[in-house]
Amino acid sequence: MLTEDASEPAPTVPRRKLIDAVILVAALLAATLVALEFDLFMDADGRSASEVRIETDEALLLGTLLALGLLVFSVRRFSEQKREMALRIEAEVKARKALELALLDPLTGLANRRHFDDIFGAAAARRSEVSQHALLLLDLNDFKGINDTYGHPVGDQILRVVSERLQAVVKTGDLVSRLGGDEFAVVAFEIGGASHAEALKVRLSDAVAQPISIEGQMHKVSTSVGFALFPADGVAAPDIFQRADAALYAAKAGRAFAKSQKVG
């Protein structure tokens, strides 16, 4: 769709330029004809004052015709440039929206799964032995119950708040993405080591656990988090993701066990 819109005005550009040229040439020809008709280019010696005055009026007419021709030409050129600018801006807006649809999650504005795969894959491929990075996977606990009880619009608002909180915790340059549903991922660059990753895990969990007010109703959500370091825990993106996912599964299992012990 974008290609069709951008290419549509192309055939009309030469036609508009041709029309502008015709208008300018016509004005010049008309002015030349007037000059020849009234002998404006002839020698004025030996003519009476009235003849000179008449020719002055004719010269003014000639100047007026030229001015009108140039004015029409300028107006048309200005209109053409304005239209081309509007088309260019429209094309840029459409391209930007297409890029956002391709790389960003429409609900939260975070990086989507495709964008996450690109960034995380590129980071894992560097395989630096000096710097340690962390992949943290997050899964909201019992989020289905919120959607079932309060409806998906409330659930969507909670996801937006959670997204904002996750972004507020990480440092500039880190990647926060929504993988889908209530699953999120954080790629923390230059994190230092396991202790720093564990501290970030706690900060993310604490941020999510803060009560969320939606339409006067307070909601409390929690999240399970698992992480893996790279390249310490793996050098291939699938292996790193699997290690983080296993850690997330262990965290959810530990939470479920603790919950059952409380009930018991």
Side-chain angles (χ1 to χ4, degrees):
M1 180 65 71
L2 178 59
T3 303
E4 293 176 357
D5 291 342
S7 61
E8 181 181 354
T12 66
V13 173
R15 190 179 307 127
R16 290 199 303 271
K17 291 183 177 179
L18 178 61
I19 293 173
D20 291 341
V22 170
I23 292 174
L24 185 58
V25 170
L28 292 174
L29 287 176
T32 302
L33 289 174
V34 171
L36 292 175
E37 179 68 21
F38 293 100
D39 299 330
L40 287 179
F41 302 134
M42 303 299 291
D43 190 1
D45 294 340
R47 301 186 194 180
S48 64
S50 60
E51 288 176 333
V52 174
R53 186 165 48 251
I54 291 173
E55 290 184 354
T56 302
D57 294 338
E58 294 163 357
L60 291 174
L61 176 61
L62 174 61
T64 301
L65 289 174
L66 286 173
L68 287 174
L70 291 174
L71 177 62
V72 172
F73 177 79
S74 300
V75 169
R76 287 185 58 83
R77 290 297 297 165
F78 174 77
S79 299
E80 178 184 340
Q81 291 176 358
K82 185 177 179 181
R83 184 172 183 271
E84 289 177 353
M85 181 62 70
L87 290 173
R88 189 177 298 114
I89 293 174
E90 181 181 0
E92 290 177 356
V93 170
K94 289 182 178 179
R96 191 178 300 111
K97 288 182 178 179
L99 182 62
E100 290 177 354
L101 289 175
L103 301 179
L104 301 182
D105 173 57
L107 177 64
T108 62
L110 298 177
N112 61 15
R113 182 60 185 259
R114 174 183 171 183
H115 193 27
F116 164 79
D117 288 340
D118 291 341
I119 300 298
F120 172 56
R126 293 175 189 155
R127 300 183 182 181
S128 171
E129 296 298 333
V130 178
S131 302
Q132 287 292 324
H133 315 297
L135 169 65
L136 299 96
L137 299 180
L138 302 88
D139 193 359
L140 299 186
N141 299 315
D142 304 322
F143 186 71
K144 184 177 182 298
I146 293 178
N147 282 332
D148 293 342
T149 303
Y150 301 100
H152 286 277
V154 171
D156 288 347
Q157 292 186 61
I158 290 176
L159 289 175
R160 294 191 190 97
V161 173
V162 169
S163 300
E164 293 172 357
R165 291 180 176 180
L166 295 179
Q167 287 181 298
V169 170
V170 302
K171 67 181 183 296
T172 302
D174 290 347
L175 176 70
V176 181
S177 61
R178 181 187 177 209
L179 302 183
D182 58 352
E183 299 175 355
F184 298 85
V186 174
V187 180
F189 298 100
E190 307 286 346
I191 197 165
S195 61
H196 294 86
E198 186 68 36
L200 176 59
K201 169 184 171 179
V202 172
R203 293 198 303 272
L204 291 170
S205 298
D206 290 345
V208 173
Q210 297 300 315
I212 299 173
S213 177
I214 305 293
E215 298 178 354
Q217 176 72 39
M218 299 300 294
H219 302 273
K220 291 202 67 175
V221 296
S222 62
T223 183
S224 297
V225 186
F227 71 86
L229 297 175
F230 60 98
D233 293 334
V235 294
D239 295 338
I240 302 166
F241 191 94
Q242 187 176 10
R243 291 287 296 270
D245 192 51
L248 172 61
Y249 180 81
K252 292 181 73 68
R255 178 182 180 276
F257 177 76
K259 189 176 181 180
S260 64
Q261 291 294 103
K262 288 182 179 180
V263 173

